[in-house]
Amino acid sequence: MNTYGERLEVALSTQIKVELVEHDMDQKDLAAAIGIESATLSRYLKGHRNMPMPTFFKVAEALGVTPRVLMERAEARIQQ
């Protein structure tokens, strides 16, 4: 995992998981809220598939944050 993009992808996945805990949600809840299968969300969060931007926007909305805030929080994880 050398590139910034790869590190950001991992950090974003981690941040989404943190947001889920903070919102007392699980992956199944989030998948239902954004209209995708929970297995699909799991593949995104494990890095097996790239999350499409429209899905990322839905994830942020379901978590009650803007896409920008979610991305900034993920970027902050890289700098830790």
Side-chain angles (χ1 to χ4, degrees):
M1 183 177 11
N2 297 328
T3 70
Y4 177 79
E6 291 169 333
R7 291 191 311 271
L8 182 58
E9 201 170 333
V10 170
L12 187 56
S13 175
T14 301
Q15 187 59 42
I16 290 169
K17 292 172 187 175
V18 167
E19 299 284 339
L20 285 172
V21 170
E22 290 176 356
H23 288 84
D24 196 30
M25 296 174 72
D26 59 25
Q27 289 184 23
K28 187 176 179 181
D29 297 328
L30 179 58
I34 64 173
I36 65 173
E37 296 291 326
S38 57
T40 301
L41 179 62
S42 177
R43 285 190 288 275
Y44 294 149
L45 296 180
K46 289 180 180 177
H48 297 167
R49 290 183 58 193
N50 291 327
M51 184 182 297
M53 290 304 293
T55 302
F56 172 71
F57 294 143
K58 289 178 185 178
V59 166
E61 183 178 346
L63 295 173
V65 296
T66 65
R68 180 180 181 164
V69 167
L70 191 54
M71 188 63 71
E72 286 173 347
R73 290 176 181 171
E75 286 183 315
R77 291 186 167 284
I78 293 173
Q79 298 170 4
Q80 290 180 356

